[in-house]
Amino acid sequence: MSELTELTAVQLVDGYRKGEFSPVEATRAVLERAEHVQPAVNAFVRLDAEEALARAGESEGRWRRGEPAGLLDGVPVTVKDILLQRGHPTLRGSRTVDPGGRWEEDAPSVARLREHGTVLVGKTTTPEFGWKGVTDSPLSGVTRNPYDVSRTAGGSSGGSAAAVALGAGPLSLGTDGGGSVRIPAAFCGIFGLKPTYGRVPLYPASAFGTLSHVGPMTRDAADAALLLDVISGPDARDWSALGPAAGSFVDALEGGVRGLRVAYSPSLGGQVAVRPAVAAAVRGAVERLAGLGAYVAEDDPDCTDPVDAFHTLWFSGAARVTQRLGPHQRELLDPGLREICALGARSGALDYLAAVDVRMELGRRMGRFHQSYDVLVTPTLPLTAFEAGAEVPARSGHRRWTGWTPFTYPFNMTQQPAATVPVGVDGDGLPVGLQIVAARHRDDLVLRTAQALYEAGVAGVAPPVL
């Protein structure tokens, strides 16, 4: 029943409720699809077929009795191999992590998935410790783009993005410290949301501090809202988590964009060179928002590129991740990661605090900006997927991945909710993403704007053929 792999989580739950198909059938189809695409794209660190089918069987029994465990009972889900999953090693893309350790806890988001009866299918690939915007690692190799396997899937949640795009589970959990949900989602033609910081509890705390978010990676905005309703449940292990959401994110999808104040920034005030095909696709979607009744103005936030401050925070985090490694273990690291760890280790406390000052000022400016606008719309990235196995595009002149991701990491610094929506393809058939950003705590506006694009037929691209 391969057509089951084409259904969203919302459609699967509806089908289970009506008795049209079962969680076991859906899980078998997803596992078969995952095994089929794995040799071409390398999206998975591990598939847990036996365990997944057992959980699907339990779910099937609950549905038969009319007693589903939660909002996503029986839905196949994949998890980025940064997040803990009880009973299985979380290797984080690194040869320095001992798989024989004690793996006795779930991350909060994974625990909420269990409580709601989901079927955990497997763990997806990540660059080492999630350090860069593409997905390759010394441990698991290169993860490739479903639309062109010579290109990158993006990162650092590249395995999750490829899996969702290819029908190997409609939902995945990713993490985003500088764009790591939005970058691969944009490259792979799916929806990705970085919620407001703290909306999804995180444990263990990230070495990258309050830059790091957990977020849904899905086929569309409706699935992301449903998943966010589940994973935003409280967890006492995260001292920085927010209190309960004001309401259901699924309910927040309704209402459209009529009257919404939308700022459209095509290049962050001329700071970013955006490829023409990307710019055209994003502009077309923005024009459709205006046609749906939004008040659209071309305007730019009052901010300069905070990349130097971001590097100080990010590189210091990387140095902290690897601080306890001995010389032999350091030789096992990704060479690029070794480089930024060395830079981070040289940053002093005053350097770090100066970067925090830049971050706070950026947050202040964005807070003022959103007094005038409900949402900000930009390209997610200035380009489409480039060659696999490279940190930066050939002949780009960029040294690090942040050189080609200027639209994403600023909103990790400000902790704002930000999502990417697929709004077309370029001349090579590669997906283009549009980014929607709102003020902190207004995840509902991001989701509602995205939903309006889906309902209007603007969002979404044809699935890859693989």
Side-chain angles (χ1 to χ4, degrees):
M1 301 184 66
S2 60
E3 69 273 9
L4 291 178
T5 64
E6 300 170 8
L7 299 183
T8 66
V10 171
Q11 291 169 328
L12 286 174
V13 170
D14 186 55
Y16 299 158
R17 183 177 297 111
K18 295 175 179 176
E20 294 175 345
F21 43 78
S22 74
V24 171
E25 291 171 314
T27 299
R28 282 200 183 110
V30 164
L31 287 167
E32 289 173 5
R33 183 65 175 151
E35 290 169 356
H36 173 73
V37 302
Q38 174 65 5
V41 297
N42 188 32
F44 293 96
V45 175
R46 187 185 69 252
L47 288 168
D48 303 317
E50 184 176 349
E51 183 177 324
L53 289 169
R55 287 181 60 84
E58 294 167 1
S59 173
E60 185 170 326
R62 292 191 293 269
W63 280 108
R64 192 179 299 117
R65 296 190 301 273
E67 300 173 350
L71 298 177
L72 291 170
D73 200 347
V75 176
V77 183
T78 58
V79 176
K80 182 180 180 181
D81 197 38
I82 289 287
L83 298 169
L84 294 179
Q85 182 179 334
R86 188 178 72 238
H88 298 284
T90 297
L91 301 180
R92 304 176 188 178
S94 183
R95 293 181 291 178
T96 68
V97 177
D98 179 10
R102 298 175 65 182
W103 306 100
E104 299 176 342
E105 283 191 288
D106 284 327
S109 50
V110 177
R112 302 294 86 76
L113 290 177
R114 284 195 199 273
E115 292 166 2
H116 281 258
T118 61
V119 176
L120 298 172
V121 172
K123 299 295 281 293
T124 57
T125 53
T126 176
E128 195 161 25
F129 301 114
W131 80 272
K132 59 183 175 181
V134 294
T135 300
D136 59 72
S137 74
L139 180 68
S140 55
V142 177
T143 298
R144 299 177 180 275
N145 193 290
Y147 287 84
D148 180 347
V149 295
S150 72
R151 313 286 184 113
T152 180
S156 62
S157 307
S160 290
V164 171
L166 287 164
L171 307 177
S172 194
L173 293 183
T175 63
D176 190 318
S180 289
V181 161
R182 290 160 290 154
I183 294 165
F187 276 177
C188 294
I190 67 166
F191 183 82
L193 171 66
K194 178 188 75 67
T196 299
Y197 178 80
R199 175 50 55 212
V200 180
L202 178 64
Y203 173 85
S206 171
F208 297 103
T210 57
L211 294 172
S212 293
H213 306 55
V214 178
M217 303 183 72
T218 62
R219 301 264 178 78
D220 58 23
D223 268 13
L226 181 58
L227 181 53
L228 189 57
D229 274 344
V230 169
I231 63 175
S232 60
D235 195 291
R237 293 172 292 176
D238 184 355
W239 65 271
S240 64
L242 299 176
S248 165
F249 291 107
V250 170
D251 292 344
L253 294 170
E254 300 176 2
V257 294
R258 183 166 297 281
L260 207 67
R261 302 168 300 167
V262 177
Y264 167 45
S265 179
S267 61
L268 294 181
Q271 296 183 81
V272 185
V274 179
R275 291 189 182 173
V278 173
V282 172
R283 183 174 290 276
V286 171
E287 290 171 353
R288 190 70 180 106
L289 286 174
L292 293 170
Y295 296 115
V296 177
E298 191 165 319
D299 199 0
D300 304 299
D302 177 24
C303 57
T304 55
D305 186 356
V307 66
D308 291 336
F310 179 80
H311 280 170
T312 297
L313 299 171
W314 193 251
F315 296 174
S316 297
R320 176 65 174 163
V321 168
T322 59
Q323 183 178 22
R324 292 180 174 81
L325 298 182
H328 172 68
Q329 288 178 301
R330 287 183 179 276
E331 287 302 311
L332 300 176
L333 294 174
D334 180 328
L337 176 58
R338 275 204 308 272
E339 287 181 24
I340 71 164
C341 288
L343 292 170
R346 291 200 290 270
S347 292
L350 292 179
D351 298 319
Y352 194 91
L353 291 173
V356 171
D357 286 343
V358 171
R359 183 180 188 181
M360 290 191 291
E361 173 61 16
L362 181 61
R364 183 192 69 81
R365 294 189 180 197
M366 288 307 304
R368 292 289 298 272
F369 186 78
H370 282 290
Q371 290 182 319
S372 300
Y373 297 105
D374 298 303
V375 296
L376 167 67
V377 172
T378 74
T380 307
L381 297 164
L383 75 176
T384 52
F386 52 89
E387 59 271 23
E391 183 185 345
V392 301
R395 299 176 297 281
S396 66
H398 299 309
R399 177 74 181 108
R400 297 262 79 102
W401 61 272
T402 44
W404 52 269
T405 61
F407 293 109
T408 60
Y409 57 78
F411 304 110
N412 292 81
M413 296 182 75
T414 60
Q415 302 186 340
Q416 292 171 252
T420 183
V421 181
V423 293
V425 296
D426 69 3
D428 294 323
L430 297 167
V432 172
L434 170 149
Q435 180 173 234
I436 304 166
V437 184
R440 291 175 72 243
H441 312 296
R442 294 311 309 266
D443 306 72
D444 59 317
L445 289 179
V446 172
L447 287 164
R448 177 151 62 96
T449 305
Q451 178 70 1
L453 289 172
Y454 278 100
E455 290 179 351
V458 177
V461 292
V465 178
L466 192 63

